């Protein structure tokens, strides 16, 4: 393994010139006085990507300096999985959480897949184990198991097919059965259940970020702001979703705002989403109820830089687990969005 020499991380005139076009992309949301802190790392990361033939996949919840200035591919969990299949890079850096990096590794077993901080987890992934699924299969023999991608590879290996928030309904209906086990997000499962005749057996997992929103909070925002469009992620509790005008995955939320240009919008999801859309959409006012995902926020320019320098921490998955988990992800990709 080649460890590259440390870059000199200073805001030199060369760095200022090289990063000026990138600052234009984020000038609406990153104050000018902050740029000298980010710019040297951004320049160094973009150089390292070329040297390593690396690509950075960033989830929609990454901070704007990552999302707009070093990422090559951005999107929701489904888009990141779909795009991970197509890359011809030697190295993939996943700017997101651990399960997303595992999915990228499942789809690219021969590539180096890096997660800049291994502790970037997810409360949903933590909520269920492979043993739980084996017990559920005993309790409901013959009922297919769908797991949300927000799970470990070991859990995926026990299921029949995966889904994301962007294709959950389509995956449920693709199986042609009248009953499914849908894990682990109780609220996403409830949301899907409102749109299908398929009976859904749920689990009690929750996203620690989205479960904090309440229907009262949304109604109060509506009282405070005229003409407010409310769009929410399906990991929110049912009373929040009932109070929303549109429900969708992070990418579907972004597309909704990009295409419809509502004058004023409340994105009921993680904080960085609004920042990232606000950077490119001038004519929309974002009201920001801000719940941070502490796991997503573990990823920083600094640890991306370190990860590319040292080519660590790498994702490794037991080959037997990987073979079974890959099948579940590939079946989902065949269903599409
Ligand atoms: P998306 O697939 O909608 O991007 O959601 C992933 C996630 O972790 C949301 O909390
Ligand atoms: Fe997991 Fe929620 Fe964070 Fe998404 S926002 S990664 S579901 S804890």
């Amino acid at each position: 393994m080649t460890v590259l020499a440390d870059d000199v991380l200073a805001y030199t005139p060369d760095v200022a010139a090289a990063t000026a076009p990138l600052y234009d992309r984020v000038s609406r949301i990153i104050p000018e006085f902050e740029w000298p802190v980010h710019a040297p790392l951004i320049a160094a990361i973009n150089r390292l990507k070329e040297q390593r033939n690396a690509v950075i996949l960033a989830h929609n919840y990454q901070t704007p300096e990552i999302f707009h200035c070093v990422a090559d591919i951005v999107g929701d969990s489904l888009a990141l999985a779909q795009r991970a299949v197509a890359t011809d890079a030697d190295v993939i850096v996943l700017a997101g959480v651990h399960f997303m990096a595992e999915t990228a590794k499942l789809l690219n077993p021969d590539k180096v897949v890096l997660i800049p901080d291994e502790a970037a987890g997810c409360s949903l992934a933590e909520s269920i184990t492979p043993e739980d699924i084996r017990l559920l299969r005993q309790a409901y023999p013959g009922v297919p198991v769908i797991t949300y991608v927000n799970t470990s590879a070991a859990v995926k290996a026990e299921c029949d097919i995966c889904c994301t928030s962007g294709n959950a309904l389509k995956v449920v209906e693709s199986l042609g059965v009248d009953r499914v086990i849908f894990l682990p997000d109780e609220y996403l499962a409830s949301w899907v259940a409102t749109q299908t005749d398929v009976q859904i057996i749920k689990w009690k997992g929750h996203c620690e970020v989205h479960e904090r929103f309440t229907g009262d909070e949304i109604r109060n925002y509506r009282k405070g702001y005229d003409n407010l469009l409310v769009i929410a992620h399906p990991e929110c509790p049912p009373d929040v979703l009932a109070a929303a005008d549109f429900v969708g995955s992070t990418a579907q939320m972004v597309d909704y705002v990009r295409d419809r240009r509502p004058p004023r919008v409340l994105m009921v999801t993680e904080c960085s989403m609004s920042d990232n859309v606000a950077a490119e959409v001038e004519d929309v006012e974002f009201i920001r109820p801000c719940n941070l995902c502490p796991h997503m926020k573990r990823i920083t320019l600094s640890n991306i830089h370190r990860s590319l320098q040292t080519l660590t921490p790498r994702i490794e998955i037991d080959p037997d687990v990987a073979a079974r988990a890959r099948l579940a992800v590939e079946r989902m990709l065949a269903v599409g969005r």
Side-chain angles (χ1 to χ4, degrees), residues 191-223:
W191 171 246
V192 173
T194 63
Q195 299 162 77
T196 180
D197 292 332
V198 178
Q199 191 197 336
I200 313 255
I201 299 161
K202 301 173 214 159
W203 187 251
K204 278 263 177 226
H206 296 148
C207 161
E208 68 188 79
V209 177
H210 291 92
E211 72 175 350
R212 298 210 299 268
F213 293 109
T214 66
D216 280 347
E217 194 181 348
I218 307 306
R219 284 184 284 279
N220 285 337
Y221 274 112
R222 284 205 195 272
K223 278 185 210 152

Side-chain angles (χ1 to χ4, degrees), residues 59 61 77 96-100 120-126 148 150 185 206-211 233 235 250 269-270 291-297:
H59 185 260
Y61 293 164
S77 314
V97 291
H98 196 269
F99 75 81
M100 296 175 177
C122 169
S123 65
L124 280 167
E126 286 300 311
Y148 195 27
N150 297 39
D185 188 350
H206 296 148
C207 161
E208 68 188 79
V209 177
H210 291 92
E211 72 175 350
H233 195 276
E235 289 168 8
T250 57
T269 191
E270 212 268 349
N291 284 352
L292 271 177
C293 173
H295 310 289
M296 288 280 179
K297 265 45 206 185

Side-chain angles (χ1 to χ4, degrees), residues 8-21 35-36 38-44 47:
V8 178
L9 296 173
Y11 191 56
T12 60
D14 281 352
V15 168
T19 58
W35 192 242
H38 299 310
L41 278 164
I42 289 169
R47 264 197 314 272

